[in-house]
Amino acid sequence: MYATLVHHATLDRSSVLQRTMSSTVKVGVLTVSDRCSRGQAEDKSGPNLQKILRSSSALKVNEILSDCVPDEANEIKRVLLKWCDTENVHVILTTGGTGFSPRDITPEVTSEIIERPAQGLTLQMLSESLKVTPMAMLSRAVCGIRKGTIIINLPGSLKGSQECFQFVLPTLPHAIEVLRGSPNVGVTHASMEHPAHPQRGDTHHNCPHKTQGKTVRDLSKVAERDRHSPYPLVSMSDALSVIKENANCLPKTVVSIEDSLGHILASDVFAQEPFPPFPASVKDGYAVLASDGPGERVVLGPVTAGGIAASQVISGHVMRITTGAPVPQGADAVVQVEDTELLESDDGGRTEKRIKILTCPKPGQDIRPIGFDVNKGQQVLSAYDKLGPAELGLMASLGLTDIEVFQKPKVAVLSTGNEVVSPGQVAKAGQIRDSNKIALKSMINSHGFEFIDLGIAADTPQDLESKLSAGLELADVVVSSGGVSMGEKDFLKPVLEDLIGATIHFGRVFMKPGKPTTFATVTVGGKKKLIFSLPGNPVSAMVTFNLFVLPALNKLTGSQSPELTKIKAKLLQPVSLDARPEYHRVALSWKSGDLVPSATSTGSQCSSRLLSMRTSNALLVLPPRSDDLTRIEAGTIVDALIIGEV
């Protein structure tokens, strides 16, 4: 469909492959899983591959066969042979059974029936997968040919099978043509031998997001745009899982204790000295000899916090002492001032001479011994602890001034859209003021992260690429809003893939609001950068920031619990359910005697209605509508995710 360069008329190789693929394709999708075949687990990978096939513009798929078999050699072989020898299938995709488990035998069965191996397909999947995760080295996938059928082993996970299939998908049209002897093969070869420009992905290693010589879909052809999103609709759990896999701790650094608030410790902290470093009084009173018991005493003088006693306490004598002061030598107890009586003073009452002890003190009474709070060598904090005021106070008490922590990510924020203007500008006809950027920056700042303002990008591939590239150079995470849906000017996803060279891990999520939310990664200067492209509607942008971006930022800092806090809440009004899982904005409040808070809806949940976020401090997690459940009644207890002060 998209056959031209942005500024050139020459066909790229993938476009030629699509144009010369004149015949339709028949594909088989085989899931290999003991549990799925017995109905003990849901097969997600097989149906997901079928969705990708149906929406593919590279392969003109007109028929898809599907089956699910256990990890049994005869069952796997039966289906493969039937589809190859009887059904005349062009491509067979197997998912599952490619790992190290004793029952993972799909590669062995595939090797047994293929007539010719296709190591290039296997190598492509392995090399690209290793860029995503080192665990890819545990895959034993086999690819090969039997008669006119290409067989490709894919991993069993939804994410792994989708990624590996997309790694080899661009070459399959031409592979089928060659295998089936298509008359278009010569045209394709000629075009591939003399490309006018490098293929997408042929970038300079030191600058992977530069665009010189790169190609992009011809986005000016509005009539030829996709009518259905090519990105599979992923579940919330799968989306969060892939974000978690890609949000790795940033490197360690050393910061001053003054700048460490909110950071995550990168190493354990041990006390280099005891605290208190001397026996200290717990009360304001008198340091005494417990063996003297009650009775009259001569006051030798005072000892105050920060000072040292001028003399030693002996029998029949005491010293006045303040809270926290060092207990003088000879004393083994402190009697609080309330348990004494003044007998004699001089110098106009400025100096005590004699007092009476009214109680019978015990040895050690109201004295904190050396190391009472912290012993020397004791571990006081652990790696991955978050540093709050108490932790900073503790480290300061131990004399620590430089702290090893994980770096905090820098976040670049970009708004997009020809219709969007800055708040200070006069909005002309058809324009709106940008509320997303200030809201996103404020949320980033309120959680202790540094933001970089990238401004507003016009709806052109060139401006989007320029501003995104600048953000990727300066920040660890780029957060954009707008341009991710199916509109005529929604260029962000193709720009990410074709110009930035990013890998889009998901482009749609089964949720409301925020369905078009997109998550991508790209390596810049040897560092993996995260890209969150959020919807343009203000509520969608704020909700998806809380659900996706904030947990990623927390995990980058080293947090071991990066997710939003989840509690139970009671509905005060009935709520009608949507076809998608919904994150309903509510205000939580407690009434006296309530075990759980009450949740009050913020009104209309339209994703453009920013007023619905104004008093919201939580998101209710509502299930999708079903035949059995269309609404949740008032008084029902549901899950709520905390997004504000409660």
Side-chain angles (χ1 to χ4, degrees):
M1 179 186 297
Y2 302 111
T4 63
L5 304 179
V6 173
H7 299 298
H8 307 275
T10 307
L11 293 175
D12 66 17
R13 284 176 281 184
S14 60
S15 303
V16 173
L17 295 179
Q18 294 175 29
R19 280 172 166 252
T20 56
M21 193 72 198
S22 57
S23 59
T24 53
V25 175
K26 186 176 184 180
V27 182
V29 178
L30 175 62
T31 300
V32 181
S33 168
D34 287 332
R35 298 184 71 238
C36 289
S37 66
R38 293 194 294 262
Q40 297 174 335
E42 180 186 358
D43 176 16
K44 295 183 179 180
S45 299
N48 183 55
L49 289 171
Q50 294 179 51
K51 286 182 182 179
I52 298 173
L53 287 164
R54 292 191 185 98
S55 62
S56 171
S57 58
L59 286 175
K60 297 179 180 179
V61 179
N62 72 324
E63 184 178 358
I64 301 176
L65 305 179
S66 64
D67 204 344
C68 182
V69 299
D71 293 283
E72 299 288 349
N74 59 338
E75 286 295 299
I76 301 171
K77 184 185 295 185
R78 175 183 61 80
V79 176
L80 293 180
L81 291 177
K82 177 184 177 184
W83 286 354
C84 289
D85 300 350
T86 305
E87 299 288 350
N88 198 31
V89 171
H90 293 81
V91 178
I92 295 176
L93 306 176
T94 71
T95 173
T98 62
F100 275 35
S101 170
R103 290 187 63 78
D104 287 340
I105 57 171
T106 304
E108 284 70 29
V109 178
T110 302
S111 296
E112 185 179 338
I113 72 162
I114 61 174
E115 298 167 341
R116 291 180 290 165
Q119 298 98 326
L121 295 174
T122 307
L123 180 60
Q124 170 69 359
M125 290 193 296
L126 179 59
S127 62
E128 292 299 317
S129 296
L130 285 172
K131 297 176 183 177
V132 179
T133 170
M135 299 303 290
M137 68 180 70
L138 300 182
S139 176
R140 303 183 305 106
V142 167
C143 300
I145 301 165
R146 180 180 177 87
K147 297 183 178 178
T149 302
I150 302 169
I151 303 175
I152 301 173
N153 291 167
L154 302 173
S157 70
L158 184 147
K159 176 178 178 291
S161 59
Q162 174 177 322
E163 288 180 345
C164 286
F165 178 52
Q166 290 174 334
F167 292 149
V168 298
L169 177 58
T171 64
L172 292 183
H174 183 56
I176 294 170
E177 285 184 341
V178 174
L179 190 59
R180 298 290 174 122
S182 167
N184 293 318
V185 171
V187 177
T188 303
H189 278 170
S191 300
M192 294 175 70
E193 288 172 3
H194 303 286
H197 296 276
Q199 282 288 283
R200 177 182 141 204
D202 292 348
T203 59
H204 298 292
H205 293 293
N206 294 328
C207 200
H209 61 289
K210 297 300 181 185
T211 60
Q212 185 171 351
K214 295 188 70 174
T215 63
V216 68
R217 285 157 273 194
D218 185 0
L219 301 173
S220 66
K221 294 187 175 181
V222 177
E224 295 184 6
R225 69 182 185 273
D226 288 324
R227 299 289 168 174
H228 301 281
S229 174
Y231 301 95
L233 197 60
V234 303
S235 68
M236 192 69 180
S237 60
D238 287 338
L240 290 172
S241 177
V242 74
I243 290 172
K244 188 175 181 180
E245 289 176 10
N246 284 279
N248 301 316
C249 283
L250 292 176
K252 300 176 183 180
T253 187
V254 175
V255 299
S256 73
I257 191 170
E258 299 290 343
D259 298 324
S260 65
L261 182 66
H263 278 275
I264 303 295
L265 266 180
S267 57
D268 298 336
V269 174
F270 296 88
Q272 300 302 310
E273 57 187 38
F275 188 84
F278 49 78
S281 176
V282 177
K283 300 282 184 65
D284 293 325
Y286 297 87
V288 304
L289 280 170
S291 58
D292 280 352
E296 294 185 11
R297 302 287 185 273
V298 174
V299 180
L300 295 173
V303 56
T304 58
I308 300 175
S311 58
Q312 181 175 336
V313 174
I314 58 176
S315 181
H317 296 72
V318 298
M319 293 193 73
R320 195 169 67 252
I321 193 168
T322 59
T323 301
V327 176
Q329 290 186 4
D332 62 358
V334 170
V335 176
Q336 64 181 0
V337 69
E338 293 88 345
D339 293 332
T340 67
E341 178 183 329
L342 177 65
L343 298 179
E344 183 182 353
S345 65
D346 64 8
D347 195 19
R350 291 186 177 87
T351 305
E352 296 176 343
K353 293 187 67 176
R354 289 189 307 120
I355 64 164
K356 184 177 182 179
I357 303 296
L358 303 177
T359 60
C360 187
K362 298 178 180 179
Q365 174 179 304
D366 285 335
I367 294 177
R368 285 189 303 156
I370 294 173
F372 178 81
D373 294 331
V374 179
N375 287 318
K376 182 178 180 179
Q378 178 182 340
Q379 181 175 336
V380 294
L381 293 172
S382 300
Y384 302 106
D385 284 349
K386 186 171 184 178
L387 298 179
E391 288 76 14
L392 267 61
L394 177 58
M395 291 188 294
S397 73
L398 299 174
L400 300 177
T401 57
D402 295 317
I403 317 298
E404 186 178 44
V405 297
F406 290 105
Q407 293 179 17
K408 283 188 177 183
K410 294 181 180 179
V411 190
V413 184
L414 175 67
S415 291
T416 70
N418 293 337
E419 78 282 11
V420 180
V421 297
S422 297
Q425 291 184 245
V426 176
K428 300 177 182 178
Q431 292 183 327
I432 58 173
R433 294 185 180 89
D434 180 14
S435 63
N436 284 348
K437 188 142 54 64
I438 186 64
L440 292 171
K441 290 192 302 183
S442 298
M443 288 191 291
I444 291 166
N445 187 55
S446 68
H447 289 283
F449 301 107
E450 179 184 347
F451 64 78
I452 299 167
D453 192 333
L454 298 177
I456 301 172
D459 284 324
T460 67
Q462 295 78 13
D463 199 30
L464 283 169
E465 183 209 3
S466 174
K467 288 185 169 62
L468 287 170
S469 297
L472 291 167
E473 289 283 359
L474 298 170
D476 304 289
V477 179
V478 173
V479 179
S480 66
S481 61
V484 289
S485 193
M486 297 291 291
E488 178 178 339
K489 296 293 186 179
D490 288 335
F491 298 146
L492 206 140
K493 290 175 183 176
V495 166
L496 285 176
E497 289 187 309
D498 297 349
L499 293 179
I500 300 296
T503 298
I504 292 181
H505 297 281
F506 61 79
R508 292 191 304 155
V509 186
F510 188 48
M511 64 180 297
K512 179 183 179 181
K515 181 179 176 181
T517 301
T518 298
F519 172 63
T521 57
V522 66
T523 300
V524 178
K527 298 179 180 179
K528 179 188 284 188
K529 306 297 181 84
L530 309 186
I531 305 168
F532 291 91
S533 297
L534 310 181
N537 275 325
V539 172
S540 299
M542 294 187 71
V543 168
T544 53
F545 175 89
N546 278 287
L547 294 175
F548 298 122
V549 183
L550 184 55
L553 297 180
N554 290 337
K555 191 165 185 297
L556 287 171
T557 66
S559 172
Q560 300 299 285
S561 300
E563 300 84 6
L564 297 179
T565 299
K566 181 187 291 187
I567 65 172
K568 296 294 183 181
K570 180 173 65 176
L571 279 176
L572 288 185
Q573 308 105 334
V575 176
S576 297
L577 298 178
D578 190 79
R580 289 172 279 159
E582 183 175 6
Y583 294 85
H584 192 105
R585 280 80 70 199
V586 294
L588 296 183
S589 60
W590 271 266
K591 294 181 180 178
S592 178
D594 284 351
L595 296 178
V596 297
S598 297
T600 303
S601 173
T602 56
S604 170
Q605 298 292 294
C606 179
S607 60
S608 62
R609 184 176 177 266
L610 197 51
L611 280 170
S612 69
M613 292 294 299
R614 186 179 65 85
T615 59
S616 175
N617 56 14
L619 301 173
L620 294 186
V621 184
L622 302 179
R625 183 175 60 242
S626 66
D627 293 338
D628 300 326
L629 186 65
T630 59
R631 79 183 227 154
I632 298 179
E633 301 298 335
T636 303
I637 304 296
V638 297
D639 287 334
L641 298 172
I642 303 300
I643 62 170
E645 294 185 7
V646 178

